[in-house]
Amino acid sequence: SGSGEAEIESVELLSAEGTPCRAFLDGEEARVQVVFCSHGEMPCPTVGFLLRDVKGNDVFGTNTFHLGLTAPDLAAGEIRTCEFRVTMALGAGRYTLTVALHTGLDHVACNYDWWDKVLAFEVFPGRRSFFAGVASLPVEGAFGPAAGAEGGGDLPSGPGRSVAGPVVGRDA
């Protein structure tokens, strides 16, 4: 959908090496490649992408405007490529990719083209610690005496004191 003044010509989800890919391990790098063309002069286009989970919930989205990337103005008939590199820090499951071509901060004011759920892909558990949910957030945890107890207070970091990675527990 969109005004059609500019159009997305192709979308590809690539591995870090640049080959088409539909399966990633949690924490692997992926590349989202969008090829688009302008049918008239187009000042500073914005390209964006959105990842949704199997239930259709928005998991993550961004665009060139929010990333501070200024695209060159396009002349009529000009074809460009925009590529994003993203770490698939996602929970195991199925996801879809949506892409948009517009101006400014979002697609509401001037939407040229929108490809909803253009590609499906899957994320599998990686080598990182187990976690629940769709987002693998960086977490550190530590055990120590309770605050106010003898020896309590700030926990020093060091061997055996800190655990990096998602923390799952009854109170997590």
Side-chain angles (χ1 to χ4, degrees):
S1 67
S3 70
E5 297 169 69
E7 292 180 283
I8 297 168
E9 293 200 340
S10 67
V11 176
E12 191 55 75
L13 187 58
L14 307 166
S15 68
E17 295 77 30
T19 58
C21 189
R22 300 295 181 270
F24 299 89
L25 294 177
D26 165 45
E28 274 190 319
E29 182 182 288
R31 293 162 42 185
V32 175
Q33 186 180 75
V34 181
V35 177
F36 59 98
C37 69
S38 175
H39 298 300
E41 290 186 14
M42 186 170 68
C44 192
T46 298
V47 179
F49 74 95
L50 173 66
L51 304 179
R52 289 191 179 119
D53 67 14
V54 72
K55 294 181 180 180
N57 297 308
D58 294 353
V59 173
F60 178 81
T62 193
N63 64 42
T64 54
F65 180 91
H66 293 299
L67 294 171
L69 301 174
T70 304
D73 296 345
L74 269 70
E78 192 170 356
I79 299 172
R80 291 280 178 158
T81 298
C82 179
E83 188 171 288
F84 299 93
R85 292 180 184 267
V86 59
T87 300
M88 293 295 193
L90 299 170
R94 295 185 185 125
Y95 298 88
T96 60
L97 172 68
T98 293
V99 295
L101 176 61
H102 55 86
T103 60
L105 68 105
D106 61 34
H107 67 282
V108 176
C110 186
N111 180 32
Y112 297 125
D113 204 0
W114 175 280
W115 286 15
D116 196 38
K117 300 176 187 171
V118 63
L119 294 174
F121 64 97
E122 195 159 355
V123 175
F124 295 93
R127 294 188 180 119
R128 301 184 312 163
S129 300
F130 171 80
F131 65 94
V134 296
S136 178
L137 304 177
V139 176
E140 291 185 11
F143 288 102
E150 188 175 322
D154 293 338
L155 297 176
S157 60
R161 301 286 299 185
S162 180
V163 177
V167 176
V168 178
R170 186 182 72 204
D171 299 324

